[in-house]
Amino acid sequence: MSLVTEVVVPRYGIAWYPWAVQYFFLIALSYTSLWVAAPGIILGKQHWLATSRLALLACVSTTLVAPVALLADLHQPLRFWHFYAHPTPWSWMSIGSFLLPLHLAATLLLAWLAWRPALKTRAQAGDGWFSRIAGWIAWGDWQVSRKIMVLAGLAALATSVGMMVYTGAEVAIVKGRPLWHTVWLPFMFVATGTIGACGLILVLNRISGLRSPDTNRQMLAIMVGACVAAGFIALTWFLDGANAVSGSVAAALDSIDQSAAWRSTAIEGGIAGVLLAVLAFLARRTPGRRRAFGWMLGLLALHVAWMFRWVVLMNVQTVARNSAGFHDYHVAFGSYGLTGIIGIFGLWLTALLLIELLVPWREASLDPQRDAPPAAPISNASVSAASQGAPRHG
Amino acid sequence: MDPIRRSLLGQMARLSAGAAMVPLSSVASAGINDQPARREGDPNKRYGMLIDLRQCIGCQACTVSCHIENDAPLGNFRTIVSQLEVEQEGTGEVATFMLPRLCNHCDNPPCVPVCPVQATFQRQDGIVVVDNDRCVGCAYCVNACPYDARFINEKTQTADKCTFCAHRLEAGLLPACVESCVGGARIIGDMRDPQSEISRLMAEHHDELMVLQPEKGTLPQVFYLGMDERFTKRPEAEPGIWDVINEAGKELGYEFGH
């Protein structure tokens, strides 16, 4: 036996910046919230309508902002067109670069069709510029059948599955980072994404003033399910490691063994996940608790989904591959760090507010041929009162 | 079968199968994350490097000459010599282990198939290069390389790596690191030419050669002679130099101008 000390070793920086965390976070919310929107908007379940409207808002806002974060993570953002000039079907990232615009187009088309009846109604309402803009967005008074909308929905679902597969595979195939190289990582992305989407919809349900009791119940139920699924995925991953199937577990245990920061991250992540599961399980049992604690659990769920991606994408990059210990990484203040993180959240908020301002998303319709209900005023109080009585849809 | 033998057999198979098989194999590569067809470079050659660790004195002449030749930014290196202090636990005797690192120009390079725009590719002579007019700087290859051989060059904002000094090889010169090595530890050459020095040395020391992280299946083409197997993986070592931090967590040691 001998003791080895590293004397000369270069400093290796991280290659993917916090932009990547923002992209993986937003795109996971995008495809999972589309699935949450599906029962109402695509399958036509009336009792799911309120949830679907919120989910559609969550989906469109995240789908709009995610590509910006992705573009920003390129060191040569203006060369993005190279993706399309040199298609590379054997690279997951190239496949993703073709899927992402399709996903963006399909989700925007679906949302547009769902929002059009209400936009047309607002266009007739004589509400000054709001009506004029609603008329522009509606783009004519023509109608499409529900069949077309269902087809658009199925197309969006197809691209969302593509997004799920590619974002998972893109990271999980990287053998060079043992912690990423496990088949369970993509499943964990989906489970934590679902947790985050439910959380986001709970938060939107509260701050939009909709306060739908159905939504609170449905989202907490799915969230508990997703927490249980995440627990099983984590357990299976760990058992794979114990049976020496996966080097990723050994790498994780090494990191926890060697680094106090990793130990505290593991403990914090574990506590947050278990706490969320237990609280969601307790809170979902009575309507009063759901109403009181739903949005707070929503915030915790968003924290869990975001932190999981931060640990996987940022912290894993600090694990040295050819030298001992861990690389120093501090979040810089500038656009490669803090400003970038806040900037993307700001952009997301802007997208949400613009949709809130210009689109009557609360009246999103299952059937683009039915008349939309009269446009609701934009103030929160009246909207929450109006939405209790669920707009007419048949 | 160990990777070196497999790699050698692969080389021989390719030689015996002849050039006629090359286009066929390029058509067959269609799966996701499979290696794409090689392009450019001399199809009759396969460059590789043999590093005789017994000759390395850790002077970093290779590091410096490479840095100057290839104009890498301060703090980034296409090649470097890792130095590790090894203390015998029983006797307290200390020895230094020197490990020159560079791109392994793997036969199964994980950095190549991940590139979304085919900016990084493997030439037919085995050299892995980056077209930095095409590179979008996504850094996927930087993460994919298990050897940390790649970095994002802050001047060009694109991926950068060792090219075996392809521009010098083409001019009939040796790579800067080979040229400057005082001990003659680095030997580069065409492994398909049985008369080359590298072929001769590889045949002579066949059973002693090792590569870095063979378990990754990357089939590295930088071979080490006089290697201790424990250093082919991430070293189980105390990180020494970056512990130069004061109470406030501020690093007191050498900063690479970041």
Side-chain angles (χ1 to χ4, degrees):
Chain A
M1 280 298 291
S2 50
L3 299 167
V4 181
T5 310
E6 237 169 23
V7 184
V8 174
V9 67
R11 178 198 287 274
Y12 300 104
I14 64 166
W16 284 352
Y17 293 107
W19 299 108
V21 177
Q22 299 294 62
Y23 172 69
F24 277 86
F25 176 66
L26 291 171
I27 207 68
L29 293 183
S30 158
Y31 65 72
T32 48
S33 55
L34 182 77
W35 302 343
V36 174
I41 294 291
I42 303 170
L43 303 177
K45 303 268 183 234
Q46 282 295 336
H47 69 282
W48 206 273
L49 189 59
T51 303
S52 281
R53 287 170 169 166
L54 288 158
L56 203 57
L57 174 68
C59 178
V60 170
S61 61
T62 49
T63 314
L64 281 174
V65 179
V68 179
L70 184 62
L71 203 59
D73 203 41
L74 295 183
H75 288 77
Q76 291 275 5
L78 285 178
R79 292 188 182 175
F80 76 94
W81 60 272
H82 289 196
F83 281 96
Y84 307 104
H86 309 286
T88 307
W90 53 84
S91 162
W92 277 109
M93 190 182 276
S94 174
I95 293 171
S97 72
F98 285 89
L99 276 171
L100 183 57
L102 289 177
H103 179 64
L104 181 72
T107 49
L108 285 183
L109 177 67
L110 175 69
W112 183 57
L113 291 178
W115 289 337
R116 259 188 95 238
L119 282 167
K120 285 194 283 186
T121 310
R122 184 185 274 187
Q124 307 300 324
D127 191 12
W129 274 99
F130 287 110
S131 291
R132 208 171 296 175
I133 291 170
W136 291 339
I137 301 174
W139 205 37
D141 200 30
W142 46 272
Q143 288 191 328
V144 292
S145 65
R146 161 120 183 102
K147 210 179 280 175
I148 301 278
M149 190 169 139
V150 169
L151 280 177
L154 292 177
L157 282 179
T159 58
S160 73
V161 171
M163 297 306 290
M164 171 194 81
V165 171
Y166 119 76
T167 47
E170 183 178 61
V171 181
I173 56 134
V174 177
K175 283 185 191 164
R177 300 254 177 229
L179 275 160
W180 289 349
H181 190 54
T182 159
V183 294
W184 296 110
L185 182 61
F187 291 96
M188 206 60 178
F189 276 146
V190 179
T192 53
T194 309
I195 291 171
C198 293
L200 174 60
I201 291 163
L202 283 169
V203 172
L204 288 176
N205 191 31
R206 175 69 183 78
I207 60 171
S208 69
L210 270 183
R211 294 199 167 194
S212 156
D214 278 348
T215 299
N216 283 340
R217 185 174 46 82
Q218 288 156 345
M219 289 304 92
L220 282 169
I222 294 182
M223 195 194 283
V224 169
C227 284
V228 171
F232 272 113
I233 294 165
L235 184 69
T236 316
W237 168 76
F238 188 77
L239 290 178
D240 267 6
N243 296 317
V245 179
S246 166
S248 141
V249 178
L253 291 178
D254 270 357
S255 293
I256 288 169
D257 184 45
Q258 291 164 16
S259 153
W262 273 83
R263 270 194 295 279
S264 61
T265 304
I267 291 168
E268 193 212 324
I271 288 176
V274 171
L275 191 71
L276 179 68
V278 170
L279 291 180
F281 183 77
L282 292 176
R284 67 181 279 266
R285 304 179 75 160
T286 67
R289 278 191 219 161
R290 290 199 292 263
R291 191 180 169 84
F293 298 113
W295 67 277
M296 285 190 251
L297 286 173
L299 289 176
L300 181 60
L302 285 169
H303 168 78
V304 167
W306 192 84
M307 276 311 290
F308 178 74
R309 280 156 184 80
W310 182 271
V311 170
V312 166
L313 293 169
M314 294 293 109
N315 291 6
V316 168
Q317 288 189 84
T318 67
V319 180
R321 297 189 274 196
N322 290 293
S323 50
F326 297 81
H327 306 315
D328 271 347
Y329 173 65
H330 302 289
V331 182
F333 182 73
S335 70
Y336 281 128
L338 206 58
T339 317
I341 298 172
I342 296 170
I344 285 294
F345 281 134
L347 196 61
W348 185 20
L349 191 64
T350 310
L352 279 170
L353 290 176
L354 278 176
I355 297 171
E356 165 76 20
L357 195 65
L358 303 177
V359 178
W361 60 270
R362 291 178 175 82
E363 287 92 48
S365 162
L366 296 186
D367 188 344
Q369 273 180 323
R370 297 278 169 83
D371 285 338
I378 293 172
S379 82
N380 261 357
S382 53
V383 164
S384 87
S387 61
Q388 297 294 330
R392 292 176 283 119
H393 283 291
Chain B
M1 199 190 305
D2 69 273
I4 298 172
R5 284 209 184 86
R6 196 163 44 196
S7 154
L8 275 178
L9 281 176
Q11 302 286 348
M12 280 153 54
R14 214 165 294 143
L15 270 179
S16 55
M21 291 297 285
V22 174
L24 201 67
S25 69
S26 65
V27 172
S29 65
I32 299 178
N33 215 36
D34 281 357
Q35 292 295 338
R38 298 179 184 186
R39 57 186 152 105
E40 301 179 23
D42 186 345
N44 300 312
K45 288 183 172 163
R46 203 325 171 181
Y47 285 108
M49 189 180 278
L50 188 147
I51 301 180
D52 187 348
L53 296 176
R54 303 167 307 183
Q55 307 292 338
C56 176
I57 58 167
C59 67
Q60 307 284 358
C62 50
T63 310
V64 174
S65 58
C66 169
H67 213 272
I68 293 168
E69 174 70 27
N70 294 300
D71 194 24
L74 212 57
N76 292 131
F77 303 94
R78 290 184 176 191
T79 186
I80 187 148
V81 185
S82 292
Q83 300 193 358
L84 300 122
E85 200 176 80
V86 185
E87 185 186 331
Q88 187 74 36
E89 221 163 12
T91 62
E93 273 183 74
V94 172
T96 306
F97 183 78
M98 265 75 69
L99 181 55
R101 296 180 186 276
L102 69 159
C103 170
N104 286 286
H105 298 275
C106 306
D107 236 20
N108 182 24
C111 53
V112 169
V114 297
C115 179
V117 294
Q118 301 167 54
T120 188
F121 61 97
Q122 187 156 37
R123 308 198 321 179
Q124 297 183 84
D125 55 14
I127 299 178
V128 177
V129 290
V130 182
D131 174 353
N132 71 5
D133 284 333
R134 189 186 286 193
C135 175
V136 293
C138 70
Y140 199 5
C141 59
V142 180
N143 270 323
C145 172
Y147 306 104
D148 277 328
R150 288 171 170 260
F151 56 90
I152 294 290
N153 183 320
E154 64 189 34
K155 295 183 205 165
T156 64
Q157 291 291 321
T158 53
D160 199 325
K161 68 183 286 297
C162 156
T163 60
F164 272 168
C165 278
H167 59 292
R168 289 176 62 94
L169 289 175
E170 275 155 17
L173 300 167
L174 289 170
C177 60
V178 177
E179 190 84 77
S180 61
C181 182
V182 291
R186 295 186 183 226
I187 294 107
I188 192 166
D190 176 13
M191 297 186 297
R192 288 200 183 142
D193 173 6
Q195 304 304 316
S196 67
E197 191 187 1
I198 190 166
S199 296
R200 196 179 52 73
L201 282 168
M202 284 181 70
E204 187 182 337
H205 298 286
H206 181 257
D207 294 331
E208 304 156 66
L209 295 179
M210 287 185 206
V211 295
L212 295 179
Q213 303 188 45
E215 75 283 358
K216 289 280 193 299
T218 53
L219 306 176
Q221 301 297 304
V222 172
F223 303 92
Y224 293 90
L225 181 57
M227 174 66 119
D228 185 311
E229 199 176 352
R230 284 168 288 188
F231 291 103
T232 61
K233 296 177 180 58
R234 185 182 171 198
E236 286 177 27
E238 284 297 313
I241 199 161
W242 299 120
D243 281 353
V244 198
I245 292 176
N246 69 11
E247 300 80 43
K250 177 103 180 90
E251 196 176 287
L252 300 170
Y254 183 38
E255 271 282 349
F256 287 118
H258 281 295

